[in-house]
């Protein structure tokens, strides 16, 4: 879900991959979180917030964060919304 490209700092490649993946999995929280992260990092706060809100409006699922920790999708979205640049998930 674009995590490796994000970790490399290649946000353009990550965004392209995530947009394509979102077409296949429009409600996958990892896709939405990572795309929102990219939007936040590239000055598109409104788009990022819309994706975080989409996550919060759907089921809360257990995920693995970019740091390898188990965390709930709603917790990641809330935490990311409180930051300017957000956080990425695996």
């Amino acid at each position: 879900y674009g995590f490796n490209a994000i970790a490399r700092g290649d946000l353009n490649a990550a965004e392209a991959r995530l947009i394509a993946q979102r077409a296949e999995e429009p409600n996958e929280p990892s896709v939405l979180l990572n795309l929102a992260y990219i939007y936040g990092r590239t000055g598109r706060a409104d788009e990022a917030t819309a994706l975080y809100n989409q996550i919060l409006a759907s089921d809360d699922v257990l995920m693995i964060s970019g740091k390898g920790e188990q965390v709930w999708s709603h917790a990641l979205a809330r935490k990311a919304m409180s930051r300017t640049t957000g956080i990425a998930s695996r």
Side-chain angles (χ1 to χ4, degrees):
Y1 297 118
F3 180 80
N4 291 334
I6 291 170
R8 289 192 313 272
D10 190 352
L11 300 184
N12 290 331
E15 183 175 355
R17 177 162 174 10
L18 289 163
I19 288 171
Q21 192 66 38
R22 187 176 181 204
E24 294 179 27
E25 298 179 89
N27 297 309
E28 170 56 48
S30 294
V31 171
L32 300 175
L33 281 163
N34 288 348
L35 190 55
Y37 170 81
I38 291 168
Y39 289 164
R41 289 286 307 266
T42 57
R44 296 175 277 175
D46 290 343
E47 291 93 333
T49 299
L51 292 178
Y52 292 133
N53 284 325
Q54 182 179 342
I55 294 161
L56 293 172
S58 56
D59 292 338
D60 195 12
V61 297
L62 191 59
M63 305 175 63
I64 303 296
S65 74
K67 296 178 181 179
E69 303 166 339
Q70 288 188 338
V71 65
W72 292 95
S73 59
H74 288 187
L76 278 173
R78 283 189 196 100
K79 186 173 182 180
M81 285 177 75
S82 71
R83 297 179 179 178
T84 304
T85 58
I87 56 176
S89 68
R90 287 186 195 233

